[in-house]
Amino acid sequence: MSVIRVERLHDGRRRVHLATADASARACPACGVFASRVKGSATTRPRDLPYGERGLEFFWHKRRWWCRESACPRKSFTEQIPQIPAGARLTARLRAAAGCRVRDAGSTVVQAARDLHLSWPTVMDAFREAAGEVTRAPLPEVVVLGIDETRRGRPRWEQNPETGKWQLTRDRWHTGFVDALGSGGLLGQVEGRTVADVLAWLSTTPLTWRKNIRHVAIDMSAAYRAAIRTGLPDAIVVVDHFHVVQLANKMLSLVRRRTTAEIRGRRGRATDPEWKARRCLLRNREDLTDEQFAKMWNPLLDEGKVGQTLLTAWIAKESLLSAYSLKWPWQDFRESGVCFRAPVTFRHG
């Protein structure tokens, strides 16, 4: 493109008048023959990436050509370049930037549309095109596969017109597969969280890729464990750190409520030392200052059986976290003896 002239508008924006400077724009898009006879002119207003505080407005003055190939079904055509194909209202780099903002920068479709002054459907179409480049790419080699569930909206039910029964057509739970050790990120996502859903996704991956997986990190889900035993029989199943800590904190809260009910014969009150220390009990030792630790430890130690039971449970939780920090990364789990072939008992006791 070449600039013919630039106008300054009353609101501060600049209007740029453009002309075609690429000689290949005279080639017919159907047959490729270069045209030599002008049919007319046309003016379009393609949009490009924002530039400056006030922005730019483009007017492309291009020519319409007659195709001199008699056998060509395309009798006439307008000039076009790879960045702005015929009929396009956006430049290719603006559309690509809109898709990459959602795919790579973590922006929402609404925010990307607001920043680039585009409509929601335009940004969503650009995102689908950008995401297709990732989904069509081969999966990276994964040593540690992570599987977890994600809640996505509400379930949807539809009535079967033939049987009259209601059927679940959209599950609110999705299962995500991630590269837990490398930089592959999200590898795939399927609707549902059953054994069949996990095996359906694994069946779409190459056999050599599945054999390369040594460990699979899951939460304490029996469905995921059964799916891994079937789809990845050679992989070692481990419970990821987050869910172990989450379960340990849940059990600590359960011990606090149960101990208070058994010894005091009532629910906890705001004046009870265990109630005042309930938040500190759920934190790690390294996250507590010396003052916070003494404020939690000393009153519970002086409280008697209630406090001593809670402190014993808290020490057990800290010991569990220390065991998880003995050896890292995941490749060394087998050598360190920290990995569990039957990871952690599923009984909440």
Side-chain angles (χ1 to χ4, degrees):
M1 309 291 291
S2 62
V3 178
I4 302 176
R5 65 182 186 276
V6 179
E7 300 177 2
R8 176 76 69 173
L9 304 180
H10 65 280
D11 57 357
R13 291 181 302 157
R14 287 167 292 176
R15 178 176 295 170
V16 183
H17 295 265
L18 304 171
T20 307
D22 190 358
S24 62
R26 296 189 294 110
C28 177
C31 63
V33 177
F34 279 73
S36 57
R37 188 158 61 98
V38 178
K39 179 181 179 181
S41 61
T43 302
T44 60
R45 300 172 60 181
R47 301 180 59 181
D48 198 11
L49 287 170
Y51 182 80
E53 297 181 357
R54 297 293 182 177
L56 299 176
E57 184 179 286
F58 296 99
F59 277 69
W60 184 12
H61 304 280
K62 56 183 180 180
R63 291 168 289 185
R64 184 179 296 275
W65 298 87
W66 286 104
C67 182
R68 61 183 182 179
E69 179 62 39
S70 57
C72 181
R74 189 82 174 261
K75 301 301 180 184
S76 65
F77 61 92
T78 57
E79 296 174 334
Q80 61 177 334
I81 58 176
Q83 274 289 331
I84 313 176
R89 297 184 179 183
L90 308 177
T91 61
R93 64 182 182 182
L94 175 57
R95 185 179 296 275
C100 291
R101 283 203 177 199
V102 182
R103 186 192 68 182
D104 301 331
S107 176
T108 62
V109 178
V110 175
Q111 185 62 43
R114 186 183 299 116
D115 295 340
L116 299 176
H117 307 289
L118 301 175
S119 64
W120 190 94
T122 301
V123 177
M124 191 63 195
D125 291 340
F127 168 63
R128 291 192 182 100
E129 184 178 351
E133 300 176 0
V134 179
T135 56
R136 290 190 296 266
L139 292 174
E141 292 187 2
V142 175
V143 179
V144 180
L145 179 66
I147 303 178
D148 199 3
E149 59 191 12
T150 304
R151 184 171 178 175
R152 305 269 306 173
R154 298 180 178 179
R156 177 175 295 180
W157 297 79
E158 293 183 0
Q159 189 175 18
N160 192 326
E162 298 180 358
T163 61
K165 296 182 179 180
W166 289 89
Q167 299 176 347
L168 181 65
T169 59
R170 181 175 298 176
D171 199 330
R172 65 176 179 174
W173 294 103
H174 285 207
T175 299
F177 304 85
V178 298
D179 185 1
L181 182 62
S183 58
L186 182 63
L187 305 172
Q189 184 167 313
V190 295
E191 184 177 351
R193 52 177 180 175
T194 63
V195 177
D197 298 325
V198 177
L199 293 178
W201 185 84
L202 290 176
S203 63
T204 62
T205 60
L207 179 60
T208 55
W209 183 84
R210 296 197 298 270
K211 289 185 176 181
N212 191 52
I213 298 176
R214 296 176 55 189
H215 299 85
V216 180
I218 62 173
D219 58 5
M220 280 157 279
S221 169
Y224 289 160
R225 183 179 61 172
I228 297 305
R229 292 302 184 212
T230 304
L232 301 171
D234 298 330
I236 298 176
V237 180
V238 297
V239 180
D240 64 85
H241 181 269
F242 170 79
H243 288 94
V244 171
V245 175
Q246 184 186 52
L247 180 60
N249 286 330
K250 285 183 179 180
M251 296 307 303
L252 186 58
S253 298
L254 179 61
V255 170
R256 176 179 57 81
R257 291 191 294 266
R258 184 179 61 193
T259 305
T260 302
E262 292 177 352
I263 298 178
R264 301 187 187 275
R266 55 173 173 79
R267 298 179 61 182
R269 296 176 181 174
T271 57
D272 296 336
E274 66 270 18
W275 175 262
K276 295 179 181 179
R278 68 190 188 280
R279 298 190 183 277
C280 291
L281 287 171
L282 301 180
R283 299 177 62 182
N284 303 335
R285 175 61 184 93
E286 59 269 17
D287 296 334
L288 294 173
T289 63
D290 294 339
E291 182 181 357
Q292 291 173 333
F293 178 74
K295 190 176 180 180
M296 175 198 73
W297 184 273
N298 295 336
L300 290 177
L301 193 62
D302 298 336
E303 188 61 22
K305 186 175 181 180
V306 176
Q308 293 174 6
T309 303
L310 282 178
L311 291 178
T312 302
W314 184 80
I315 293 174
K317 182 198 71 168
E318 291 298 306
S319 300
L320 178 63
L321 300 184
S322 299
Y324 259 81
S325 60
L326 285 178
K327 197 69 174 178
W328 193 259
W330 291 82
Q331 301 101 306
D332 300 330
F333 267 20
R334 186 190 300 271
E335 291 78 3
S336 65
V338 181
C339 71
F340 304 95
R341 187 166 292 276
V344 173
T345 177
F346 281 67
R347 293 164 49 195
H348 292 188

